[in-house]
């Protein structure tokens, strides 16, 4: 089939987004959201591998599909489809629907486009489109919390973008072309660090994850689902595409990357359990799971051969996490209603993604984790650590359900409409059927059920003891954990300087830095500013939207 | 005189003739004045199209007249001249439409449009100059013809701004004159030559050449608003919006930058500049200007003032690109001449529209303006993203090439400057965008703004939309054969004597 159809993948949502220029289209635009993802799914299913060169586009672009891209296209497409469908019901405030649809389409175009981009400039273009457009999704609710999350998010987006710019530029200078680098290219260490950090902001790698627990929960549920399920993986595909894993010195970076990833895994679980907002718990779970993928990437660096198979396993894990996390975020909107389905089905559907994420036997999670275990089997302690991560995930899922049940206690009396539970069920079904999907066909279900069961048992045991003792009112650790500490240098500089100013004041009055000084501005940027966003009159807007 | 020989004269007179004619028109002959303005602008577009076609096919256009023995006024159209002439011509047409819409009903329109045309006449003359002497003549003419535009409002503030403008630019002109005169005594010729003409003198007159270089840069740097001689530019933003737009995008600031590019490529030659070792200090000066302008912009609440400081910063990209040795950076610098023009003129048009329709001059008053003026605000958003350097806007292409060129030349610190500038640009543009689109708007308007079917008269809305679309297209289709980038590749290839250059 004609490969230039690939162009339709990013172009369809983009052209639909142009519809918001026409007043007649504006209110109906949101109806088109699920369909905008169809070309991506069609291309992933029916187009063969290959690429088209577009010399006129940007600095000469190349769009194509390869094995990594196909997996990413599939889960990303499904997730955007489900989220778009769900949003039709979820976002019902007539004022907000056009805006939501516009940013949803723009971010979708960027997210799908970067998967098929096979050169630096167009990848960077789609990455930027996605990042900036999702700002509109993050601040959708316009309340104080969302506006602050938006500020933090945007700061890190800009930081990530410029670091990535420098990294790509150095990479292009080293390889002498704008195409994807061959995996044995050898740019210098600084280039690789810049690329790792630039994509790490999106992937929520420590300590660049600080925006994530604020932004993902602040967005409306369908947007959280794509942010945490699909867009977070843009960082991962960036790593896979641009970090040459057969670099002569890759061996030396492998270990730090593995440890960074594993730290994120356990850190995410630990801090996530201390949250009091169900969506924050899920956001921390994403940090934790991305940590596992980061560790997988490190394993890729350490391996001395057959990296293609390792990359395929990481992709499998990413696909599984995307679907499960999407289903979980959508279930937040479902739990705000009285259950409509039979109790057993309802709870089964709620628990299925949670169980599979924890890696229960015979689930997609066990399969994905098995793949990851195989990938790093040469490393000592790897299997045990991965099993232990299951304990953390079980705890997170317990916490999520604990908080979700509290939400269900004062649920909206009307049951959720089919516009909500159908897309949710679609994701739940896909997650449940993950082991038999052709996507996972290459990997066999790992044998031995005990290694999968004990982490869950331990997690349940610990949860039973710990969770009832955790406050559900005030989070033990504020979402964004290290955020406050990051401002410390600014605050210190200001205090020291002001102190000196006080000392000198009689002689030099103008010494004290004013309100507009940059240290003060910088520390204000990330702090909540009361009175911003919607007035108290509208502060229950969020609840109104959710019901 | 054949048609080919006189083409350049026709191009010049297509703005000189309207200037003279309009000066003698009565104030109320609105229709005739508009016709003359538009006819002149359209005629110029057609003539320039013919010239572009010729230059692409390596045809030579030259016009030479002797003023004194061994001192000629030369007009010549090479690839670089064509770049600047095309930019001025297109933007002049758009700005004329905007100015007609903007100044409708205000006094002294004949005076305004006469000098407006004269200003473009000088800019185009300066672009087509074939030697430094001709360049100097038009450079001074530009200074003089812009002054009435800056002080057009006639208020005390604008008169002060005008005085500051004259002081700075006259001093600059004087330094330039000194430099040109000194250079002429050394070489006997100040013709623009591809690859430069001073290489043979490097051994003998090293010190003098370095001194002349800095004299020329100082003279040109005043108009290009290099730090520390940028002071006039933020003050000159009291001029009416179309003037600011033209001033910041093509006429004055660009004249300085274009002059510096000419001096580096066609008077000294890139190899001579490298041999004299003046490239690195110039690059550092440009970098300081880039950062300083952005930092100052951060602290402005007046929209036009913030844009003015942003110009200080952005124009130095051109100088930076020229100061780095190597064809790739050269492409980046040259293409930014066009890209910055397109983006900045868009932003100034938009600032004018906000002032005209909503009486908004300060950024803190812009809350919720996006919903009231969606077309203008879309254009502003595109321009702002371009300034930050986000793809697919044109600004990204310039930054990419300057950065790649710097890495190729072994100056990785330049990428750091680009990054810092992007961050600062984001820091002063993104909050404006947040106010435009996401802040709840104030419901009371100042003055007579009222709800109507269209957000603003089409003559004010179309220009920013067109230039924003051009800035988007220049980036999105940068790889296409007729993009500004493609043309700059041609220039750089000719300057460096190379086959066509890949990024």
């Amino acid at each position: 089939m004609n490969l230039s159809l690939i162009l339709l993948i990013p172009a369809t949502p983009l052209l639909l987004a142009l519809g918001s220029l026409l007043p007649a289209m504006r209110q109906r635009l949101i109806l088109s959201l699920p369909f905008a993802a169809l070309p991506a799914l069609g291309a992933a299913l029916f187009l063969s591998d290959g690429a088209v060169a577009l010399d006129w586009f940007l600095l000469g672009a190349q769009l194509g599909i390869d094995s990594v891209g196909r997996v990413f296209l599939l889960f990303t497409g499904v997730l955007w489809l489900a989220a778009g469908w769900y949003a039709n019901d979820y976002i019902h405030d007539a004022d907000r629907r056009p805006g939501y649809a516009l940013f949803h389409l723009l971010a979708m175009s960027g997210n799908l486009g970067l998967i098929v981009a096979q050169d630096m400039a167009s990848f960077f273009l789609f990455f930027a489109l996605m990042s900036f457009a999702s700002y509109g999704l993050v601040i959708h609710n316009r309340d104080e919390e969302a506006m602050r999350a938006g500020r933090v998010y945007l700061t890190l987006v800009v930081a990530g973008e410029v670091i990535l710019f420098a990294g790509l530029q150095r990479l292009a200078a080293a390889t002498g072309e704008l195409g994807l680098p061959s995996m044995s290219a050898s740019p210098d260490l600084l280039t690789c660090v810049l690329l790792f950090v630039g994509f790490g902001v999106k992937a929520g790698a420590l300590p660049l994850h600080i925006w994530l627990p604020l932004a993902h929960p602040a967005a409306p549920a369908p947007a959280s689902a794509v942010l945490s399920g699909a867009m977070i993986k843009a960082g991962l595909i960036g790593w896979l595409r641009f970090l040459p894993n057969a670099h002569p010195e890759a061996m030396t970076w492998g270990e730090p990357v593995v440890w960074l990833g594993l730290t994120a895994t356990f850190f995410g679980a630990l801090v996530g359990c201390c949250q009091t907002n169900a969506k924050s718990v899920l956001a921390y779970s994403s940090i934790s799971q991305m940590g596992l993928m980061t560790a997988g990437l490190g394993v890729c660096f350490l391996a001395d051969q057959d990296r293609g198979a390792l990359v395929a396993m990481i992709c499998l894990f990413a696909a599984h996490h995307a679907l499960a996390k999407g289903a979980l975020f959508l279930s937040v909107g479902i739990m705000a209603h009285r259950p409509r389905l039979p109790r057993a089905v309802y709870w089964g559907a709620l628990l299925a993604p949670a169980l599979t994420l924890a890696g229960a036997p015979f689930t997609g999670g066990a399969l994905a984790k098995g793949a990851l275990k195989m990938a790093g089997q040469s490393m000592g302690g790897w299997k045990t650590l991965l099993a232990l991560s299951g304990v953390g995930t079980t705890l997170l899922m317990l916490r999520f359900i604990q908080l979700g049940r509290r939400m269900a206690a004062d649920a909206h009396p009307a049951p959720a409409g089919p516009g909500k539970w159908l897309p949710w069920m679609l994701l739940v079904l896909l997650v449940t059927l993950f082991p038999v999907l052709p996507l996972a066909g290459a990997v066999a279900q790992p044998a031995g059920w005990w290694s999968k069961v004990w982490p869950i048992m331990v997690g349940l045991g610990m949860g039973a003891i710990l969770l009832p003792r955790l406050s559900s009112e005030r989070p033990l650790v504020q979402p964004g954990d290290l955020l406050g500490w990051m401002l410390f240098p600014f605050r210190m500089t200001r205090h020291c300087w002001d102190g000196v100013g006080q000392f000198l004041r009689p002689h030099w009055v103008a010494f004290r830095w004013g309100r507009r000084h940059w240290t003060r501005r910088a520390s204000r940027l990330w702090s909540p500013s009361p009175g911003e966003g919607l007035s108290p009159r509208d502060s229950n807007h969020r609840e109104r939207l959710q019901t | 005189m054949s048609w080919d020989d006189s083409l350049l004269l026709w191009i010049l007179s297509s703005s000189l003739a309207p200037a003279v004619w309009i000066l003698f028109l009565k104030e109320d002959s609105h229709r005739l004045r508009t016709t003359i303005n538009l006819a002149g602008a359209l005629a110029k577009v057609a003539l320039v199209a013919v010239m572009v076609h010729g230059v692409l096919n390596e045809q030579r256009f030259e016009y030479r007249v002797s003023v004194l023995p061994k001192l000629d006024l030369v007009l010549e159209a090479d690839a670089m001249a064509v770049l600047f002439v095309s930019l001025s011509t297109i933007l002049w047409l758009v700005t004329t439409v905007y100015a007609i819409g903007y100044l409708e009903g205000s006094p002294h329109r004949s005076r305004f449009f006469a000098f407006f045309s004269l200003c473009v006449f000088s800019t185009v003359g300066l672009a087509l100059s074939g030697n430094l002497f001709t360049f100097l003549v038009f450079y001074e003419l530009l200074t003089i013809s812009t002054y009435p535009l800056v002080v057009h409002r006639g208020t005390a503030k604008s008169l002060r701004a005008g005085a500051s403008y004259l002081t700075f630019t006259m001093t600059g002109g004087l330094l330039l004159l000194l430099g040109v005169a000194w250079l002429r005594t050394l070489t006997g010729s100040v013709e623009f030559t591809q690859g430069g003409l001073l290489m043979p003198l490097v051994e003998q007159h090293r010190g003098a050449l370095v001194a002349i270089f800095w004299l020329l840069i100082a003279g040109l740097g005043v108009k290009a608003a290099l730090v520390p001689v940028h002071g006039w530019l933020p003050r000159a933003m009291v001029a009416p919006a179309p003037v600011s737009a033209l001033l910041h995008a093509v006429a004055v600031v660009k004249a300085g930058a274009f002059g510096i590019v000419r001096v580096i490529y066609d008077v000294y030659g890139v190899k001579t500049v490298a041999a004299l070792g003046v490239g690195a200090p110039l690059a550092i000066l440009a970098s300081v200007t880039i950062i300083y302008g952005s930092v100052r912009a951060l602290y402005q609440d007046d929209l036009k003032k913030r844009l003015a400081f942003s110009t200080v910063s952005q124009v130095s990209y051109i100088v930076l690109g020229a100061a780095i040795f190597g064809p790739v950076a050269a492409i980046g610098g040259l293409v930014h001449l066009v890209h910055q023009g397109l983006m900045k003129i868009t932003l100034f048009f938009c600032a004018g529209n906000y002032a005209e329709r909503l009486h908004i001059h300060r950024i803190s008053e812009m809350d919720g303006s996006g919903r009231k003026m969606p077309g203008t605000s879309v254009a502003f958003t595109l321009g702002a993203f371009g300034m930050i350097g986000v793809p697919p806007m044109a600004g990204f292409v310039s930054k990419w090439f300057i950065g790649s060129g710097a890495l190729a030349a072994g100056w990785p610190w330049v990428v750091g400057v680009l990054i810092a500038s992007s961050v600062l640009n984001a820091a002063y543009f993104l909050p404006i965008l947040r106010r435009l689109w996401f802040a709840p708007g104030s419901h009371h308007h100042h003055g007579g703004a009222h709800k109507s079917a269209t957000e603003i008269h089409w003559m004010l809305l179309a220009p920013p939309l067109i230039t924003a679309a051009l800035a988007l297209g220049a980036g999105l289709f940068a790889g296409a054969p007729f993009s500004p980038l493609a043309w700059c590749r041609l220039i750089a290839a000719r300057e460096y004597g190379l086959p066509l250059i890949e990024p």
Side-chain angles (χ1 to χ4, degrees):
Chain A
M1 224 178 291
N2 194 346
L3 275 171
S4 47
L5 287 175
I6 294 176
L7 264 178
L8 284 180
I9 297 172
T12 313
L14 210 52
L15 291 176
L16 283 168
L18 284 183
S20 60
L21 294 177
L22 307 171
M25 278 278 290
R26 216 167 281 163
Q27 275 299 332
R28 297 191 200 117
L29 196 60
I30 201 165
L31 301 174
S32 72
L33 299 190
F35 305 102
L38 289 179
L41 287 173
L45 292 173
F46 301 116
L47 283 187
S48 47
D49 283 9
V52 276
L54 308 168
D55 289 333
W56 48 268
F57 185 76
L58 218 56
L59 306 176
Q62 192 152 357
L63 302 185
I65 296 186
D66 56 3
S67 54
V68 172
R70 192 180 302 278
V71 179
F72 272 80
L73 266 187
L74 275 175
F75 73 73
T76 308
V78 167
L79 221 55
W80 279 102
L81 187 149
W85 190 357
Y86 191 90
N88 268 299
D89 195 309
Y90 189 86
I91 314 281
H92 55 73
D93 186 340
D95 277 356
R96 291 286 162 78
R97 281 164 75 90
Y100 179 85
L102 174 66
F103 290 115
H104 185 105
L105 286 167
L106 289 177
M108 184 196 300
S109 172
N111 194 359
L112 296 170
L114 68 90
I115 295 173
V116 291
Q118 302 264 359
D119 71 281
M120 294 180 199
S122 58
F123 189 97
F124 191 59
L125 155 66
F126 289 119
F127 196 79
L129 177 61
M130 180 187 82
S131 302
F132 283 107
S134 357
Y135 174 75
L137 299 176
V138 170
I139 65 155
H140 177 85
N141 286 334
R142 303 287 200 285
D143 49 15
E144 196 186 310
E145 180 199 346
M147 294 314 278
R148 177 188 177 217
R151 277 199 307 273
V152 176
Y153 172 71
L154 208 54
T155 327
L156 279 144
V157 163
V158 170
E161 289 286 321
V162 295
I163 292 171
L164 192 56
F165 176 81
L168 288 177
Q169 193 133 61
R170 294 180 66 94
L171 184 63
T175 60
E177 53 168 8
L178 285 173
L180 296 182
S182 81
M183 281 301 137
S184 53
S186 52
D188 59 357
L189 182 63
L190 177 60
T191 309
C192 295
V193 169
L194 287 171
L195 289 170
F196 185 82
V197 172
F199 289 120
V201 171
K202 189 61 62 191
L206 287 189
L208 308 162
H209 66 286
I210 45 172
W211 62 274
L212 207 145
L214 294 172
H216 288 192
S224 310
V226 279
L227 271 165
S228 219
M231 290 197 244
I232 198 171
K233 307 288 187 310
L236 180 67
I237 197 174
W239 283 340
L240 293 178
R241 289 235 195 268
F242 292 99
L243 283 179
N245 59 26
H247 190 284
E249 286 171 54
M251 288 290 206
T252 54
W253 325 324
E255 210 148 320
V257 173
V258 170
W259 285 116
L260 187 72
L262 288 176
T263 314
T265 304
F266 293 105
F267 178 84
L270 203 66
V271 182
C273 286
C274 306
Q275 300 303 308
T276 51
N277 177 342
K279 282 165 113 188
S280 305
V281 177
L282 292 183
Y284 272 105
S285 157
S286 290
I287 294 173
S288 169
Q289 297 285 319
M290 287 310 290
L292 286 179
M293 287 172 241
T294 314
L297 182 80
V299 169
C300 247
F301 288 143
L302 286 175
D304 41 13
Q305 56 192 345
D306 206 19
R307 297 186 185 84
L310 296 183
V311 169
M313 287 174 187
I314 297 175
C315 291
L316 186 73
F317 192 86
H320 159 258
H321 170 248
L323 296 174
K325 194 48 63 67
L328 284 170
F329 264 112
L330 293 192
S331 66
V332 173
I334 302 280
M335 280 191 286
H337 291 272
R338 219 158 47 85
R340 127 176 284 165
L341 305 160
R343 225 178 144 69
V345 180
Y346 176 77
W347 278 103
L350 273 182
L351 284 177
L355 273 174
T356 168
L357 213 54
F362 312 114
T363 60
L367 190 80
K369 218 170 231 177
L372 213 55
K373 274 184 190 167
M374 271 198 296
Q377 55 194 345
S378 57
M379 279 180 37
W382 172 252
K383 285 190 175 174
T384 323
L385 283 171
L386 276 198
L388 276 176
S389 80
V391 178
T393 308
T394 311
L395 274 171
L396 278 174
M397 290 301 115
L398 276 179
R399 180 70 173 162
F400 170 66
I401 289 162
Q402 182 195 14
L403 295 171
R405 277 177 60 108
R406 261 169 32 88
M407 242 170 78
D410 47 18
H412 199 265
K420 272 184 191 154
W421 63 261
L422 275 178
W424 173 56
M425 275 314 236
L426 169 73
L427 288 186
V428 171
L429 271 179
L430 283 174
V431 174
T432 320
L433 297 178
F434 194 77
V436 294
L437 293 181
L439 191 70
V443 185
Q445 185 71 252
W449 56 272
W450 176 241
S451 65
K452 293 163 228 155
V453 171
W454 73 257
I456 298 185
M457 307 279 278
V458 174
L460 288 176
M462 283 172 70
I465 300 166
L466 290 177
L467 291 187
R469 286 173 178 69
L470 273 174
S471 159
S472 295
E473 302 300 328
R474 284 184 45 218
L476 204 59
V477 179
Q478 288 294 329
D481 51 85
L482 299 176
L483 192 71
W485 288 98
M486 297 236 169
L487 295 175
F488 187 70
F490 294 115
R491 294 221 175 94
M492 271 325 283
T493 324
R494 204 179 73 224
H495 286 317
C496 292
W497 195 254
D498 280 355
V500 176
Q502 217 122 54
F503 177 66
L504 288 173
R505 176 153 310 163
H507 317 287
W508 197 357
V509 179
F511 208 76
R512 197 179 162 86
W513 286 347
R515 270 171 52 76
R516 282 157 62 77
H517 195 269
W518 63 272
T519 51
R520 205 168 290 248
R521 287 178 163 207
S523 55
R524 269 209 310 260
L525 189 65
W526 283 353
S527 351
S529 59
E532 186 190 23
L534 294 174
S535 55
R537 184 170 53 85
D538 293 329
S539 62
N540 60 349
H541 190 80
R542 215 174 152 65
E543 277 69 27
R544 241 180 38 232
L545 281 178
Q546 278 183 357
T547 51
Chain B
M1 190 185 279
S2 77
W3 159 254
D4 278 354
D5 292 335
S6 59
L7 181 65
L8 300 183
L9 286 184
W10 283 109
I11 289 178
L12 278 185
S13 44
S14 65
S15 33
L16 182 60
V20 177
W21 195 353
I22 289 172
L23 195 56
F24 295 105
L25 276 187
K26 278 204 208 73
E27 193 61 30
D28 52 3
S29 47
H30 165 72
R31 188 169 298 217
L32 180 59
R33 189 170 49 233
T34 304
T35 316
I36 299 170
N37 264 324
L38 289 179
L42 287 169
K44 192 189 225 67
V45 171
L47 291 168
V48 167
V50 173
M51 183 179 74
V52 170
H53 180 78
V55 172
L56 200 58
N57 296 319
E58 310 241 353
Q59 197 177 348
R60 277 182 65 82
F61 296 99
E62 202 190 68
Y63 177 79
R64 185 178 288 269
V65 54
S66 225
V67 195
L68 288 168
K70 292 176 77 181
L71 194 60
D72 294 351
L73 272 180
V74 185
L75 297 177
E76 194 186 355
D78 60 357
M80 204 187 287
V82 165
L83 183 78
F84 196 27
V85 171
S86 316
L87 176 75
S88 334
T89 306
I90 293 170
L91 293 189
W92 184 42
L93 175 62
V94 182
T95 315
T96 304
V97 173
Y98 187 84
I100 292 169
Y102 192 84
L103 290 168
E104 196 49 61
S106 68
H108 306 304
R109 273 169 294 167
S110 278
R111 184 184 79 194
F112 178 86
F113 280 106
F115 281 102
F116 194 66
S117 298
L118 201 61
C119 174
V120 173
F121 163 73
S122 336
T123 309
V124 172
L126 178 149
L128 289 173
S129 298
N131 63 18
L132 260 181
F133 171 66
T134 320
F135 184 90
L136 184 67
V137 170
F138 282 109
Y139 193 78
E140 292 300 322
L141 191 59
L142 181 63
T143 305
I144 295 159
S145 60
T146 318
Y147 175 74
L149 299 177
V150 173
V151 299
H152 180 73
R153 299 254 193 243
T155 58
K157 198 178 169 196
S158 62
L159 285 173
R160 270 202 308 277
S164 143
Y165 169 73
L166 272 191
T167 321
F168 271 98
T169 45
M170 283 302 192
T171 319
L174 204 64
L175 293 176
L176 186 63
L177 177 67
L178 266 176
V180 174
W182 190 356
L183 193 63
R184 220 185 99 78
T185 58
L186 270 188
T187 62
S189 155
V190 284
E191 301 275 312
F192 292 147
T193 322
Q194 229 159 54
L197 41 76
L198 300 183
M199 201 58 190
L201 301 177
V202 170
E203 290 292 304
Q204 215 181 339
H205 300 285
R206 195 181 186 90
L209 284 183
V210 171
I212 293 171
F213 184 82
W214 288 116
L215 263 182
L216 296 177
I217 295 295
L220 296 162
V222 170
K223 276 216 172 85
L226 286 177
V227 167
V229 284
H230 62 284
W232 64 273
L233 185 61
R235 269 172 244 165
M237 59 88 215
V238 294
V243 177
S244 302
L246 204 67
L247 218 73
H248 285 258
V250 267
V252 178
V253 198
K254 281 303 169 56
F258 182 75
I260 292 177
V261 170
R262 273 288 196 206
V263 166
I264 290 177
Y265 289 112
D266 293 341
V267 176
Y268 275 69
V270 273
K271 297 208 175 77
T272 318
V273 168
L276 291 174
V278 286
L282 185 59
I284 291 170
L285 181 65
S287 303
V288 170
T289 309
I290 289 174
I291 304 292
Y292 177 82
S294 291
V295 169
R296 287 297 304 274
L298 205 53
Y299 288 90
Q300 308 303 322
D301 188 32
D302 187 304
L303 179 59
K304 280 179 83 179
K305 215 163 191 170
R306 186 174 285 195
L307 293 180
F309 273 111
S310 155
T311 304
V312 172
S313 163
Q314 292 276 339
V315 167
S316 275
Y317 275 65
I318 304 167
V319 182
L320 180 61
I324 299 168
F325 181 81
V328 180
I331 296 174
L334 284 169
V335 84
H336 203 57
L337 196 81
V338 178
H339 289 168
Q340 190 268 351
L342 293 173
M343 297 184 297
K344 192 42 73 66
I345 207 168
T346 308
L347 293 174
F348 268 104
F349 283 155
C350 294
N353 283 1
Y354 292 127
E356 185 73 7
R357 179 76 168 80
L358 302 173
H359 303 278
I360 287 176
H361 300 93
R362 312 189 80 77
I363 290 156
S364 46
E365 301 164 344
M366 289 177 82
D367 287 8
S369 305
R371 279 169 190 266
K372 292 174 201 152
M373 302 180 67
T376 305
S377 301
V378 165
F380 190 91
T381 306
L382 288 176
F385 273 116
M387 287 291 170
I388 301 171
V390 178
M393 297 304 299
F396 165 72
V397 176
S398 324
K399 272 189 188 167
W400 183 272
F401 273 83
I402 295 175
S404 298
L407 286 176
W411 289 354
W413 57 268
V414 171
V415 179
V417 173
L418 295 180
I419 283 187
S421 165
S422 278
V423 169
L424 288 166
N425 271 276
Y428 62 78
F429 275 123
L430 291 181
I432 305 182
L433 299 186
R434 188 189 65 84
R435 281 182 188 277
L436 273 182
W437 296 110
F438 302 113
S442 57
H443 292 293
H444 65 279
H445 301 301
H446 315 272
H450 52 87
K451 196 90 182 158
S452 66
T454 52
E455 62 177 271
I456 200 160
H457 193 271
W458 70 266
M459 284 183 122
L460 296 183
L461 182 57
L465 285 176
I466 291 171
T467 49
L470 288 174
L472 175 64
L476 198 57
F477 305 117
F482 290 101
S483 67
L485 179 67
W487 192 265
C488 292
R489 280 184 174 168
L490 179 84
I491 300 176
R494 287 185 183 173
E495 289 295 340
Y496 279 83
L498 293 169
L500 229 51
I501 298 152
E502 289 301 313

